[in-house]
Structures are given as C-alpha cells and as structure tokens.
Amino acid sequence: MRVPLSDPVREFRDVRDEVLAAVGEVLASGRYILGETVDAFEQEFARLVGVSHAVGVASGTDAVELALEALGVGPGDEVVTTPFTFLATATAIMSTGATPVFADVRPDTFNIDPDAVAAAITHRTAAIVPVHLFGQMVDVDALGAIADRHGLPIVEDAAQAFGATRVAADGSVAHAGGVGVAGAFSFYPTKSLGAAGDGGIITTDDAAVAERLVRLRNHGRTATGVHSEPGHNSRLDAVQAAFLSAKLPVVERWTERRLEHAAAYGAALSDVPGISPPVADAGNRHIFHQYTVLCHGRERVLQAMADAGVSAAKFYDPPVHRLEALEGRDWRTDGCPVADELSTRVLSIPVFAHLTEEERDRVVETLVASGSLQPG
C-alpha cells in the first residue's frame, strides 16, 4: 500500500460535479480575469474569516508582499518574522525592499515566540509577519500587545491556516487572517482550500488598505487608462475563483476529517518513545494543514517510511535563515537555536481529509516500526 502525503485528485473527485459546473459557467461567460465570479468569492471568503474585505491575488507570496506594500513597508525598513517557515515569507518581505529579521520560535508549537519578537524590534521595524504554522494560530494576544506597544501593524501569513481559530483573552473567537491589519492566504493546490493552480487572497478590515490593494494587484489602476502608481500584475483569475467557490461549502467537512485523523494519531502515538505528537495551545483550533511530530533518528525514519511506500516530509530543513538563497546577506539576528533544532527533528505525516482509516493505520504502523523508538 502506498500512502501519499496529500492527494488533490481525491478532493476533486469529491466535488467534481460542482467544480465542473462552476468553471463551465466562467468559461462560457468569456470573463476570465476578475469580474463577478471573483467578487463573489472575495465576499464569501471575507465573511468566513470575519472581516470586511478580501482581495484576490495571484499567489500567497504576492499576498504577503502586496499587504506589506499597501501598508507602506519599503526600503530601509525591517520586518520581524519567523525563520521556521517556507522561504516565500522572507522573499515577499525582501521584494518590498525591506529586510526580514528572524525571531526564534517556540519549541512546543513551532510558532514564533512573542518574547523573541519583542527583543528583535528596533527603530527600523515597520511590521511583524507571524506565520500560523502547520494550521495553528500564533499567540495573537501576546503579539498584539507587542504590536500595539510599538505602533506596528501585524500582517498574518495564514497560508496554512484557513479555518484555524483561537479564543482571545476577552473570550472572543479570532480567525486566522482576521487578527492583524491584514492576513495573507495561499490557494496552492495542497492547502486546506486549494486551487487548480496558484492563487492567493488578502483579508483586512481596513477600507483604505483594501482600496490600495485593489489598485496594487492591477497595475495601480484606478479607472480605465488611469494608473495612480506602478502596481503589479497579480490578479486572481475567475476560473480559480470558481474552482475555489465550489469547494467552500465542503471545506469545513474536510477540516473536521483532518481533525479526526489528528485525534487518532495523537492517541496512537502519545506513548510511543522517541515520538512527540504536535501540541495545540489552549483555546486554539489547530486545523492540521500538516500533522508534524518530533522524532529521534529522523533520517532513518524517513528512509524506512519511504521503503514502505508511506510518504512523509521534513519542514523546514534548513530553516530560512540558513538557506543558500540567503547566504551572504547581512541579516540582523541573535540566532535561532530552537528553529535550528526543530529543523533536524520535525516530520510531517499524511493527514489530508480523504486519507482512509486503513491508510492512517498503515502510517502509524510504519512510523512505529521504523526504528524511531531508539534515539538517534
């Protein structure tokens, strides 16, 4: 039995008729860029996140970059972010001309450590970009207090966290993408809400930010023949919006299925020596975009699982601040030892919604039998 880490084809089969009908309407309309289909998707997405505005763009990377640009972040600025994420979070910051400053992460949730963020802030800091990693929200209360104290905007990288929530200190429920001044989402095909290609969206409650984002994504255009600033070519196309809209009604069902898988994994792995299941903060609804354990002897475990036909992955090794692409740059950092350590031990196993129970049992069986019981 071969078990994939994810399977977009199974998702498509689940909503095939709805997707084909929605996409067919767009193709028949001849309106393929922006338009009513994109408008409708943006409005529904904003409603689900609990914000007033959502602006579709071409990718999750563009979502982070354009959100920062809309807030005025640029050359000479610093943006505090996590080193334990995909490279795109840092390169989106760099694309504005700003410099990413890496603050270390917590060893339990893998999310950015608010104390490290506070220590990284200087007079050059222009924004904070936390990542809701693997589907779990960061400590938004602590980060919000730091941001307020320094007068800084938070741009949430929520690429992996659509549907994640956290109970705030005042008892209200905060949604990923609805806490900061802006939230950036990715619709990469393997995300919890994935497109048939690339796509992204930016959420905000700030009407002025939303208005500028609408200009920035479309060459700075304000009206036909009128361009108030250079802008970008970063528009969510109508076919992708239709594809995503057809999935929206079932995303919650898929999320609940991932939560079932996660609970089963937690029960099966909680007492296994050498393996530490993921930790969810109290009050957090972790949606498990990835189910990521800590294990001893990871390379041996990975090879054993591959030999058994069970897919697994290591995110993120090396962490961003040690990637070759960023070598030779003058990053200001006090070091990120927790991220360095995690990068050698984390292991993500299949948790996608359409994973079967038989496949899930196979994952557990293979992981436990792989030799992870002995430290290495």
Side-chain angles (χ1 to χ4, degrees):
M1 176 190 297
R2 304 198 66 83
V3 184
L5 189 63
S6 62
D7 193 344
V9 173
R10 297 190 203 182
E11 279 195 3
F12 170 69
R13 289 172 180 162
D14 194 351
V15 290
R16 180 181 185 278
D17 292 344
E18 294 84 351
V19 163
L20 293 181
V23 170
E25 287 184 14
V26 171
L27 295 178
S29 75
R31 186 72 186 272
Y32 304 148
I33 300 294
L34 300 178
E36 294 179 357
T37 302
V38 174
D39 291 344
F41 173 70
E42 291 172 336
Q43 292 166 16
E44 180 61 10
F45 194 90
R47 185 188 70 80
L48 291 171
V49 175
V51 297
S52 303
H53 309 278
V55 180
V57 293
S59 69
T61 307
D62 282 1
V64 176
E65 179 185 348
L66 268 64
L68 290 170
E69 187 174 340
L71 294 170
V73 175
D77 291 332
E78 292 180 345
V79 176
V80 179
T81 192
T82 171
F84 203 58
T85 183
F86 183 56
L87 172 67
T89 307
T91 56
I93 294 168
M94 294 163 60
S95 292
T96 69
T99 299
V101 173
F102 299 110
D104 211 353
V105 298
R106 288 174 45 182
D108 52 355
T109 65
F110 317 145
N111 274 326
I112 198 166
D113 185 337
D115 290 338
V117 171
I121 292 172
T122 71
H123 68 282
R124 295 178 61 188
T125 307
I128 302 169
V129 179
V131 176
H132 301 310
L133 195 69
F134 299 144
Q136 174 167 210
M137 290 182 68
V138 301
D139 186 343
V140 293
D141 288 325
L143 280 184
I146 294 167
D148 289 346
R149 186 160 65 246
H150 294 276
L152 296 171
I154 291 176
V155 173
E156 304 166 69
D157 184 334
Q160 302 181 12
F162 176 57
T165 60
R166 182 182 179 95
V167 178
D170 62 4
S172 62
V173 177
H175 292 257
V179 178
V181 176
F185 291 84
S186 168
F187 298 132
Y188 188 80
T190 57
K191 295 295 191 289
S192 58
L193 178 62
D198 255 325
I201 204 164
I202 305 162
T203 52
T204 183
D205 269 325
D206 190 316
V209 170
E211 183 179 355
R212 189 170 186 214
L213 286 168
V214 169
R215 296 197 304 271
L216 285 173
R217 72 174 175 184
N218 194 20
H219 302 286
R221 177 178 173 177
T222 54
T224 302
V226 180
H227 299 262
S228 60
E229 55 186 316
H232 302 258
N233 179 10
S234 182
R235 300 167 298 208
L236 179 65
D237 70 67
V239 169
Q240 297 298 350
F243 187 92
L244 293 163
S245 293
K247 283 185 167 184
L248 276 179
V250 300
V251 165
E252 179 60 24
R253 169 165 61 83
W254 292 349
T255 298
E256 289 295 334
R257 183 59 177 159
R258 284 199 311 278
L259 294 177
E260 291 175 13
H261 291 322
Y265 280 143
L269 300 174
S270 60
D271 295 323
V272 177
I275 299 176
S276 299
V279 174
D281 267 348
N284 267 14
R285 188 200 192 208
H286 191 331
I287 65 157
F288 293 101
H289 166 64
Q290 298 287 351
Y291 190 91
T292 304
V293 303
L294 290 173
C295 71
H296 290 290
R298 186 186 63 188
E299 300 308 313
R300 180 185 67 243
V301 173
L302 269 171
Q303 186 59 58
M305 295 185 76
D307 291 345
V310 177
S311 297
K314 49 184 181 181
F315 303 109
Y316 295 92
D317 183 17
V320 176
H321 65 295
R322 300 199 182 280
L323 286 171
E324 180 181 355
L326 273 65
E327 284 183 357
R329 298 178 182 271
D330 185 21
W331 306 120
R332 186 177 64 77
T333 177
D334 294 327
C336 299
V338 178
D340 286 335
E341 171 66 15
L342 291 175
S343 71
T344 68
R345 294 188 59 204
V346 291
L347 181 72
S348 296
I349 59 179
V351 74
F352 60 98
H354 296 83
L355 186 75
T356 68
E357 293 183 13
E358 182 182 10
E359 288 174 324
R360 188 180 68 205
D361 291 343
R362 177 63 171 161
V363 173
V364 172
E365 172 190 324
T366 306
L367 181 58
V368 172
S370 64
S372 58
L373 303 187
Q374 299 300 319

